[in-house]
C-alpha cells in the first residue's frame, strides 16, 4: 500500500518528456534527464514540450536513442548538484558561517561523498564506451551532435581520439572507412611531411 502511494508521488512530481525515434519507437523520459540534450532543453524552456507533446526525432533510431538516453539518465543530476553547491557557497550569512564551522566533519563527509560520486560517474563513462565498435561510435556521435548533447559529444570524441593513437593514416582510414581522396603525388608529399615532423626533437 505504501509503495504504491510513493510511486504515485514520484510520477506526479517528476515531469516527463516523450521522444519518438525515427523508427516509431517512443520513449518516456524524465525531463531532468532529457534536458541534458540541448535540443530538448530549448524546447522545454520555450514551453512547447510536456507529456502531452510528443517530440519527433527523425534523425535518430531507437537503438541509438536508447543509448543516448541511458547516458542522460546517469548524468541527469549533475547540473542540479553543482548548482546546489554553488548556492551553498554563495549565500552564506554570518549564522551560516558559524554553522559551517560547527559542522566541519559533516562538510568533509559531503565532499568525500561528492568526490566518490564523480569518480563513480567517470568509471561508468569508461565502461559505457569501453568496447564500443566504430559503427556504434559513429552513430552515437552523430546523434549526440544532432541532439546538442555536448558533454556526450566530448566523451565520444575522446574515445575516437584514443582509438587513433599509434595508428598510421592508412590504418585510421581503414578503421573509420574513410576514402583516400589524395592523388598518388599528394600522398607521397604528405608522407614526406609526416616524416619530417617525426624527426623533430
Amino acid at each position: 500500500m505504501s509503495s504504491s502511494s510513493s510511486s504515485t508521488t514520484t510520477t506526479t512530481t517528476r515531469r516527463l518528456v516523450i521522444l519518438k525515434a525515427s523508427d516509431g519507437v517512443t520513449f518516456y523520459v524524465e525531463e531532468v534527464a532529457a534536458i541534458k540534450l540541448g535540443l530538448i532543453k530549448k524546447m522545454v524552456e520555450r514551453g512547447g514540450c510536456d507529456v502531452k507533446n510528443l517530440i519527433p526525432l527523425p534523425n535518430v533510431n531507437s537503438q541509438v536513442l536508447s543509448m543516448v538516453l541511458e547516458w542522460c539518465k546517469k548524468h541527469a543530476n549533475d547540473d542540479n548538484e553543482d548548482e546546489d553547491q554553488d548556492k551553498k557557497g554563495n549565500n552564506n550569512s554570518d549564522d551560516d558561517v558559524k554553522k559551517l564551522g560547527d559542522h566541519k566533519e559533516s562538510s568533509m563527509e559531503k565532499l568525500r561523498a561528492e568526490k566518490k560520486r564523480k569518480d563513480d560517474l567517470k568509471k561508468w563513462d569508461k565502461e559505457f564506451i569501453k568496447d564500443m565498435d566504430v559503427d556504434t561510435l559513429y552513430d552515437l556521435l552523430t546523434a549526440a551532435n544532432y541532439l546538442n548533447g555536448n558533454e556526450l559529444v566530448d566523451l565520444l570524441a575522446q574515445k575516437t581520439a584514443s582509438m587513433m593513437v599509434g595508428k598510421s593514416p592508412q590504418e585510421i582510414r581503414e578503421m573509420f572507412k574513410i576514402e583516400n581522396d589524395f592523388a598518388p603525388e599528394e600522398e607521397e608529399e604528405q608522407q614526406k611531411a609526416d616524416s619530417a615532423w617525426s624527426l623533430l626533437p
Side-chain angles (χ1 to χ4, degrees):
M1 213 40 200
S2 59
S3 61
S4 62
S5 62
S6 62
S7 63
T8 303
T9 303
T10 303
T11 54
T12 54
T13 56
R14 293 180 182 269
R15 294 182 59 186
L16 295 177
V17 173
I18 308 176
L19 307 177
K20 185 177 182 180
S22 60
D23 50 2
V25 179
T26 56
F27 295 83
Y28 288 77
V29 191
E30 289 183 5
E31 184 182 288
V32 68
I35 60 174
K36 293 297 292 182
L37 305 169
L39 182 69
I40 308 302
K41 185 176 182 179
K42 281 184 180 178
M43 292 182 178
V44 169
E45 289 173 345
R46 291 172 183 167
C49 170
D50 57 37
V51 76
K52 296 178 182 178
N53 297 328
L54 182 145
I55 301 175
L57 300 173
N59 295 338
V60 188
N61 66 43
S62 58
Q63 184 178 356
V64 175
L65 183 57
S66 177
M67 293 183 70
V68 171
L69 294 177
E70 180 185 2
W71 182 89
C72 289
K73 289 171 187 175
K74 191 68 180 178
H75 288 259
N77 295 312
D78 287 0
D79 296 335
N80 291 338
E81 294 190 16
D82 289 341
E83 285 174 11
D84 288 342
Q85 291 295 327
D86 290 340
K87 287 176 183 175
K88 289 175 183 177
N90 295 331
N91 296 324
N92 290 332
S93 65
D94 290 341
D95 288 339
D96 290 332
V97 172
K98 289 179 182 177
K99 288 177 184 177
L100 287 172
D102 293 337
H103 297 90
K104 283 184 180 179
E105 188 61 33
S106 175
S107 297
M108 288 302 295
E109 287 177 8
K110 287 179 182 178
L111 287 172
R112 282 193 289 267
E114 177 62 13
K115 183 180 183 305
K116 183 180 183 306
R117 185 188 71 83
K118 289 185 176 180
D119 289 344
D120 289 345
L121 207 51
K122 286 180 181 178
K123 288 177 184 176
W124 187 91
D125 279 347
K126 284 183 180 179
E127 286 298 314
F128 182 69
I129 60 175
K130 183 179 176 181
D131 299 318
M132 193 173 288
D133 60 73
V134 173
D135 290 337
T136 302
L137 177 62
Y138 176 80
D139 290 341
L140 203 54
L141 190 50
T142 302
N145 185 58
Y146 164 69
L147 295 166
N148 199 15
N150 294 333
E151 292 175 58
L152 180 54
V153 168
D154 289 344
L155 177 67
L156 297 170
Q158 290 172 21
K159 171 66 175 177
T160 304
S162 70
M163 293 171 73
M164 294 190 291
V165 172
K167 292 184 170 57
S168 68
Q170 182 59 33
E171 289 172 327
I172 292 171
R173 288 193 198 100
E174 290 173 1
M175 181 170 59
F176 292 106
K177 300 171 185 175
I178 301 170
E179 185 178 344
N180 183 5
D181 56 358
F182 281 116
E185 300 81 16
E186 293 174 321
E187 181 75 19
E188 187 177 346
E189 287 179 15
Q190 185 62 48
Q191 288 175 355
K192 287 179 181 177
D194 292 341
S195 298
W197 276 108
S198 66
L199 294 174
L200 292 175

